[in-house]
Amino acid sequence: MIPMQMDTQVESALVLLAHGNAEQALRVLQSCLQQNPHHAGALHGMACVARAGGDNRAAVALAAKAVQLQAEPHFHITLGLALLAEGQVEAARAAIHVAVLASPRDPRAHDAMASVLEAQQRIAEAERALRTAIKLRPLEQERHLALAAFLSRHGQLEKAIEVSGKALRLDTQNLFAQNLHGMILHGAGKSAEAELYFRTVAAELPTSAPALANHGAALFATRSYEEARDVLVKSAQLDTKAAETRSNLGLVQMALGRLQEAAQELQAACALQQNDTRLMLNYATVLADLGKREQAEALFCKVEKQAGNSTDAARACMNRGVLYLAEGRFAEGWKLFEARQHLVAPPACAAGLPQWDGAPQEKPVLLYAEQGLGDVLQFLRYVSPAAQRAPVLLYVPQSIRSFVLQMELARLPHVTICTSQHAPKAVAACGLMSLPDVLGMEAPFAWRPDIAGLQKADPGKKTVLRIGLCWAGSSTYQFDRRRSLNPQLLEPLGRLDNVVFQSLQKHTEGQQPPFPIEKLPQGDVLETARVMAGLDVVITVDTMIAHLGGLLGVPVLLLDRFGGDWRWAAGSTMTQPDGEVRSLWYPSVRVIRQPQAGEGDAPWQPCIVTVVQILQKMAEKRTDMVP
């Protein structure tokens, strides 16, 4: 074979390799080397085949031999990338530096140098190298894609979206570009936008497990649970060993209420990737919801030991604390629950202030709200005991501030309800949910604050039962489907005589109950409290409304999902001789739990039957307002 023919054969082999035909490319190159064992191009081609197959050690040897015979710049690039893959970063930099000097207008050399610089954590220089490659070939889509992927890896997501968008406009039909753009959008929390790109890719590649897995993950993030399940099941069938897919499928099943199926998938994911602490956390969480607390505790402990000082370890510690709180092991639970401070930053007004340890002092302490409004209401009971040890600056969200100002605690001499500009007066800070631990007040206790300006219901002067209804929480909560119920299930309540219904639903999107119901007036928590104070009973799922009703002393029927929140679990409730379950935090709150987990309406049906029976008794005997 004459040299020109051999060069043509080598080129054809590289084309075959680029199209995924590595075996055929290998046969062509081997034939060339049989003719001429010292053909540099064929040796370089063999190095490319070795790299494609993951044999970087062989690639280094072959590319080095090719460079010795013929110092082509792109031979140095292949050698450098193979060295980099073998962990020989400085040697890789030297090889690629030769290519950059010899061929400064070759974008491949700058791309390769960017890889080396990134490995050396020289991030700004790596980005400049990638942008140089784009300047050299501004119409080559792969250059923009390389920069977009780089920016995404280093947390510059908005820039990454902009660059991947440019890349996509260069060729809108390129599936790789669509997939990368979708992945960056998904990583930036723009899952609804990402889902459209993943849907297109999955439609074009219906037998690609990764394409289906990406689409399923985006559907889960957008709370399209049924479709997400269908897509992820297909992906898992195509690749049964994809741990991430099995985990996402388990989370979807969990969101739908199918806890047993969720546990099976999450257990399988952990078995496939045994050292992944994130997967263990997911599995432990569903075990806890199923009531398998010993297994859940063991997994949380394992994550804490294995994950070191990572956020996964903090999450495991916090979740173990929640597990203990649910069981009534409060002294241990509150201490472990403090791990949440490693996961959620305090508000700006508390940043930089040392943590108050509960010791008496004369200078002010900033107490700040944490998590949702229900959590704030529950833990306000600790403000007065805290104020007996130190002057208190209490910082709460604006939506609840006017309600707190009506409370007796706002009139205490050492309590100031403040906004963030008061924070500089404080010398220490403490989240409201840390107070049980720092004050040494571990066990739940009832609290019925005096709240000015609320007109309470007078059952002796009415024959009509006024019932407040809240059937759904915020849909932004990933697992809200299990917490909220379909308002059509409330239909039996509408058949009762002498009742009037008042909506307590802040989130009004979606369905309404199938009977007349008064709308909730616009306003903050104080306005809602004024409405609730005039009600005879409140029926609600696990939202802020349950806490507000409990503080007001209004009879509350709390519809609690199976495996519900710790504050309605055994440790925080008391079962009375007649079987009623009452909250230790709010004596007027009766907890009505789903008897079993499940998908859809079925798990709520027994709860609705119980509610109807209670309301019938209340309607028959108006003088007894405690259900």
Side-chain angles (χ1 to χ4, degrees), residues 204-283:
E204 292 293 323
L205 303 173
T207 59
S208 168
L212 292 169
N214 286 340
H215 188 210
L219 287 166
F220 172 55
T222 57
R223 298 166 183 79
S224 302
Y225 298 127
E226 287 82 4
E227 188 179 2
R229 176 170 56 193
D230 292 344
V231 171
L232 290 169
V233 165
K234 291 177 184 176
S235 180
Q237 289 171 344
L238 290 165
D239 184 1
T240 59
K241 297 187 181 300
E244 190 71 23
T245 302
R246 302 293 293 272
S247 178
N248 284 338
L249 178 54
L251 292 174
V252 169
Q253 297 282 33
M254 188 175 173
L256 286 167
R258 290 187 171 271
L259 300 187
Q260 292 290 354
E261 292 87 343
Q264 291 171 8
E265 294 298 333
L266 293 168
Q267 183 181 30
C270 287
L272 289 166
Q273 213 159 292
Q274 296 183 14
N275 294 320
D276 192 319
T277 53
R278 184 175 48 87
L279 298 184
M280 283 189 270
L281 277 172
N282 291 339
Y283 182 35

Side-chain angles (χ1 to χ4, degrees), residues 564-579:
D565 193 81
W566 65 267
R567 71 203 73 211
W568 315 120
S572 289
T573 55
M574 177 179 61
T575 302
Q576 298 183 341
D578 61 0

Side-chain angles (χ1 to χ4, degrees), residues 15-336:
V15 170
L16 287 167
L17 180 63
H19 286 85
N21 298 324
E23 290 185 7
Q24 193 174 346
L26 180 61
R27 286 196 292 270
V28 172
L29 293 167
Q30 287 173 335
S31 176
C32 291
L33 288 172
Q34 286 175 355
Q35 298 291 323
N36 180 3
H38 301 291
H39 190 279
L43 288 166
H44 171 257
M46 291 287 286
C48 292
V49 171
R51 278 197 67 222
D55 190 353
N56 288 291
R57 182 175 297 181
V60 168
L62 290 161
K65 191 178 291 185
V67 165
Q68 289 174 351
L69 293 167
Q70 188 176 331
E72 291 287 343
H74 64 285
F75 292 2
H76 281 92
I77 294 174
T78 300
L79 174 60
L81 292 174
L83 286 165
L84 182 61
E86 284 290 288
Q88 301 181 47
V89 180
E90 188 53 40
R93 188 204 63 79
I96 294 171
H97 184 63
V98 172
V100 172
L101 292 176
S103 185
R105 298 196 62 77
D106 185 347
R108 296 173 300 175
H110 295 282
D111 273 353
M113 183 57 78
S115 297
V116 172
L117 292 167
E118 185 179 9
Q120 294 178 322
Q121 295 300 309
R122 296 158 67 178
I123 306 304
E125 294 172 75
E127 182 179 342
R128 284 197 293 271
L130 289 168
R131 293 191 181 278
T132 298
I134 289 176
K135 288 179 182 178
L136 292 169
R137 296 289 192 276
L139 299 180
E140 286 185 2
Q141 188 182 52
E142 64 181 296
R143 307 300 161 209
H144 295 273
L145 294 175
L147 176 58
F150 171 87
L151 292 169
S152 178
R153 285 195 299 274
H154 294 283
Q156 301 182 57
L157 295 177
E158 290 303 321
K159 285 185 179 180
I161 290 171
E162 181 183 354
V163 174
S164 65
K166 288 180 181 178
L168 197 54
R169 288 192 290 274
L170 290 170
D171 181 0
T172 58
Q173 303 304 309
N174 186 309
L175 293 180
F176 178 81
Q178 292 191 57
N179 191 64
L180 178 62
H181 192 55
M183 291 180 71
I184 296 172
L185 286 168
H186 186 59
K190 300 181 179 182
S191 299
E193 296 175 56
E195 190 272 326
L196 298 175
Y197 292 98
F198 289 143
R199 182 180 294 274
T200 299
V201 175
E204 292 293 323
L205 303 173
T207 59
S208 168
L212 292 169
N214 286 340
H215 188 210
L219 287 166
F220 172 55
T222 57
R223 298 166 183 79
S224 302
Y225 298 127
E226 287 82 4
E227 188 179 2
R229 176 170 56 193
D230 292 344
V231 171
L232 290 169
V233 165
K234 291 177 184 176
S235 180
Q237 289 171 344
L238 290 165
D239 184 1
T240 59
K241 297 187 181 300
E244 190 71 23
T245 302
R246 302 293 293 272
S247 178
N248 284 338
L249 178 54
L251 292 174
V252 169
Q253 297 282 33
M254 188 175 173
L256 286 167
R258 290 187 171 271
L259 300 187
Q260 292 290 354
E261 292 87 343
Q264 291 171 8
E265 294 298 333
L266 293 168
Q267 183 181 30
C270 287
L272 289 166
Q273 213 159 292
Q274 296 183 14
N275 294 320
D276 192 319
T277 53
R278 184 175 48 87
L279 298 184
M280 283 189 270
L281 277 172
N282 291 339
Y283 182 35
T285 300
V286 76
L287 287 172
D289 278 4
L290 282 167
K292 299 179 179 180
R293 299 187 182 279
E294 289 185 5
Q295 290 175 256
E297 181 181 355
L299 265 180
F300 286 139
C301 289
K302 183 177 180 181
V303 172
E304 288 177 60
K305 291 177 182 177
Q306 191 167 310
N309 295 320
S310 70
T311 56
D312 280 350
R315 191 170 287 110
C317 184
M318 182 190 75
N319 286 347
R320 187 158 62 94
V322 169
L323 198 67
Y324 290 176
L325 293 176
E327 294 174 346
R329 298 161 63 180
F330 289 101
E332 300 168 272
W334 292 126
K335 291 188 183 305
L336 294 171

Side-chain angles (χ1 to χ4, degrees), residues 160 288 339-340 356 372 382 500 517 524 562:
R340 73 191 184 283
W356 183 47
Y382 294 100
V500 174
I517 184 167
D524 59 9
F562 185 89

